[in-house]
Amino acid sequence: MDIDELFEGIAVAFRQYQQEITEQAKASVNPTLTGLESVKKVEKTVTVIGIEQNFPKIA
C-alpha cells in the first residue's frame, strides 16, 4: 500500500462519515410522526380584573 492509497481510504471514510452525520441531522430536524392523533390547539382564557384607581387617601 502506498501513501496515495492510504490517503484515498481516509478521504472515503471521511466522506462516508459526513454523509452519515448529514442524514442524522436531517432526521432530527424533520422527524416523521406516525401513529399519533392530530394535535388539538388549546385555547387560553385570559381573565382581566379591574383595579380601582380611586383609593382613599390616608391623612
Side-chain angles (χ1 to χ4, degrees):
M1 175 190 301
D2 69 344
I3 191 79
D4 291 329
E5 291 174 351
L6 177 65
F7 282 120
E8 185 61 33
I10 293 171
V12 169
F14 183 71
R15 284 187 218 114
Q16 182 181 2
Y17 172 75
Q18 282 183 320
Q19 184 179 12
E20 290 173 2
I21 295 299
T22 303
E23 289 173 3
Q24 287 177 0
K26 286 180 183 178
S28 67
V29 170
N30 297 323
T32 55
L33 302 176
T34 57
L36 297 177
E37 296 179 14
S38 63
V39 178
K40 295 182 181 179
K41 196 172 191 178
V42 178
E43 292 184 23
K44 293 182 180 180
T45 57
V46 178
T47 305
V48 178
I49 301 173
I51 300 175
E52 186 69 34
Q53 294 295 325
N54 298 326
F55 294 110
K57 293 183 179 179
I58 299 176

